[in-house]
Amino acid sequence: MPGDVVVKIENLSFTYSSGDRPALSNINLEIKRGEYLGIMGLNGAGKTTLGLSINGIVPQSTMGIYEGSVTVEGLDTSTTPVREMARTVGIVFDNPEFQMSQVSAAEEVALGLENLGVPNPEMPPRVSAALATVGLAGFEERSPMGLSGGQQQRLAIASVLAMQPKILFMDEPTSNLDPIGKEEVFELARKLNRDEGLTVIVAEHESEVLAAYADRIVVLNEGKIFMIGTPSEVFSRGAELANIGIRVPQATELALALSTSGATGLPVTTGEAIEWLESRA
Ligand SMILES: Nc1ncnc2c1ncn2[C@@H]1O[C@H](COP(=O)(O)OP(=O)(O)O)[C@@H](O)[C@H]1O
Ligand SMILES: [Mg+2]
């Protein structure tokens, strides 16, 4: 059912064994089915740790002190085996090359299915369907290493989609891609979110990207939730964000420069900025 809570995070704190401060500190957050959630914050703010807590790698495959709870579709991610969680939460990391281990795109996608124990005869149709969904139909025999960065990330997304997850967590998925690859990946995520109802969670430092795609943005600072709201709500508080080193979209910067203090509901995309300027004329 769209709109119900799929991820419930309560009083979550986590400190890595080797960490000198909590990576996450008393996080409370609910994510709704079909939501597109952005996570912002400087390096070390806790974005990756938060994402990994949603599929159970934190705390199951990491050493540290874990408090609170995370449930995903009712599954406790601290005890449900990570292998099992992979059916529900797919993860795509920042460096596509490190995620590629097979000689062909088809084998790359099949790998996850093998881990799930999907019978061999069922694999080819599921592999081809996943490749088609990400715009790589006919790429079955291509070498992953010969693909562009954007194609590699779409292949990584196909590999997790084949497992039919409900949630896709992408951790700075385009930080190693050129602008074309970046657009390919974010357009694909938007399509999966809108057309397939996939819940999308993206850690991303570029405010313009989240302004264009996210329903809601969580801003993390030193492991704590610093701010949460729609892109307009969050970016309208540009001065507070500047204090923790986060830049708002250029469209919002312009509006902030032209506004008297206390402005709310400021534009976050170029299109919105044009409307906003016209309404002031
Ligand atoms: N594997 C790890 N072992 C020890 N400390 C870690 C590990 N991963 C992250 N940290 C620490 O946890 C904090 C949050 O890191 P992280 O979640 O990677 O933030 P972000 O993704 O926002 O850059 C940082 O202080 C970081 O140094
Ligand atoms: Mg990170």
Side-chain angles (χ1 to χ4, degrees), residues 46-240:
K47 303 180 296 296
T48 297
T49 307
L50 183 61
L52 297 181
S53 76
I54 293 171
N55 93 327
I57 291 181
V58 168
Q60 296 187 55
S61 309
T62 43
M63 301 288 282
I65 301 165
Y66 180 91
E67 288 168 276
S69 73
V70 179
T71 51
V72 175
E73 299 270 21
L75 302 170
D76 182 337
T77 67
S78 71
T79 52
T80 308
V82 174
R83 241 174 113 97
E84 195 58 38
M85 286 309 306
R87 292 175 189 272
T88 307
V89 185
I91 299 198
V92 172
F93 293 101
D94 61 346
N95 195 328
E97 282 176 46
F98 292 169
Q99 299 173 76
M100 307 285 132
S101 61
Q102 304 297 303
V103 297
S104 73
E107 285 177 48
E108 201 63 60
V109 177
L111 190 65
L113 295 178
E114 280 164 26
N115 292 339
L116 288 185
V118 171
N120 272 329
E122 284 178 29
M123 279 195 197
R126 274 177 79 166
V127 166
S128 295
L131 287 173
T133 303
V134 302
L136 294 176
F139 276 60
E140 281 80 351
E141 298 313 320
R142 296 276 291 270
S143 162
M145 286 308 175
L147 303 179
S148 71
Q151 289 171 332
Q152 286 178 336
Q153 275 306 51
R154 287 190 282 138
L155 177 57
I157 293 172
S159 301
V160 302
L161 288 182
M163 297 189 246
Q164 301 168 338
K166 301 286 191 296
I167 299 165
L168 176 64
F169 169 57
M170 303 197 295
D171 193 1
E172 306 197 39
T174 64
S175 53
N176 294 305
L177 303 189
D178 60 19
I180 293 170
K182 184 176 284 228
E183 173 138 353
E184 282 174 28
V185 169
F186 279 106
E187 282 301 320
L188 171 61
R190 189 218 294 260
K191 184 185 86 161
L192 295 170
N193 175 251
R194 287 206 182 150
D195 302 349
E196 322 273 332
L198 195 69
T199 304
V200 174
I201 306 170
V202 186
E204 169 65 37
H205 51 260
E206 220 174 282
S207 56
E208 268 83 3
V209 168
L210 293 183
Y213 294 108
D215 296 316
R216 240 174 7 136
I217 296 174
V218 177
V219 180
L220 294 179
N221 185 44
E222 297 182 346
K224 300 189 185 75
I225 293 185
F226 182 76
M227 225 183 256
I228 183 163
T230 64
S232 177
E233 285 165 354
V234 165
F235 293 135
S236 293
R237 295 165 67 184
E240 288 165 77

Side-chain angles (χ1 to χ4, degrees), residues 16 18-19 21 23 41-49 172:
Y16 290 94
S18 56
R21 63 163 174 84
L42 295 188
N43 279 341
K47 303 180 296 296
T48 297
T49 307
E172 306 197 39

